[in-house]
Amino acid sequence: KSISVHRRTTAEYLSDNQRGIKYRQESVVEGIHVPSFEPLFSELQHFVDCVLAGKEPLVPARDGLRALRVATSVRAAIQQHLMGVTRYSPPAPGELRPAMIPVQTA
């Protein structure tokens, strides 16, 4: 799969004293390749491969933990907002609040 992103710059008039005024507008089409597999599956597969081969993963554990904490805080803030809580304080590392417990949907 691929996605085409069309970017167009703003039009501009260029002054050229010898030939008058020139008009220029440029556009760029950027093709972005989108893999046909699930990104999370690919990340997990890479991690398993690294564990089995004894290699370092591309993303260090510290960065993964930081991303998990951010995602958990965002989810908690959204759930608290939906429950009408106006003040939010981020959880301490390792703290699990009721709003942070995964909710199963039907």
Side-chain angles (χ1 to χ4, degrees), residues 10-27:
T10 56
E12 62 181 329
Y13 290 94
L14 304 173
S15 175
D16 186 351
N17 293 336
Q18 297 173 349
R19 299 184 192 157
I21 297 176
K22 294 180 182 178
Y23 175 78
R24 179 176 75 181
Q25 181 173 359
E26 298 174 346
S27 63

Side-chain angles (χ1 to χ4, degrees), residues 1-102:
K1 296 180 186 180
S2 66
I3 298 173
S4 295
V5 178
H6 298 264
R7 301 174 197 258
R8 193 171 303 170
T9 61
T10 56
E12 62 181 329
Y13 290 94
L14 304 173
S15 175
D16 186 351
N17 293 336
Q18 297 173 349
R19 299 184 192 157
I21 297 176
K22 294 180 182 178
Y23 175 78
R24 179 176 75 181
Q25 181 173 359
E26 298 174 346
S27 63
V28 175
V29 178
E30 180 181 357
I32 301 173
H33 174 71
V34 180
S36 59
F37 49 84
E38 170 64 36
L40 181 57
F41 176 80
S42 177
E43 290 176 19
L44 292 173
Q45 186 63 52
H46 169 72
F47 179 75
V48 169
D49 292 343
C50 287
V51 169
L52 293 175
K55 297 189 306 185
E56 284 283 321
L58 294 174
V59 178
R62 184 180 310 264
D63 292 348
L65 181 60
R66 188 177 312 131
L68 181 61
R69 285 184 178 150
V70 168
T72 303
S73 294
V74 168
R75 182 176 182 167
I78 290 169
Q79 288 180 341
Q80 286 183 358
H81 174 74
L82 294 174
M83 294 177 0
V85 177
T86 56
R87 300 182 106 196
Y88 172 73
S89 60
E95 179 185 359
L96 186 63
R97 296 183 183 172
M100 297 165 56
I101 297 173

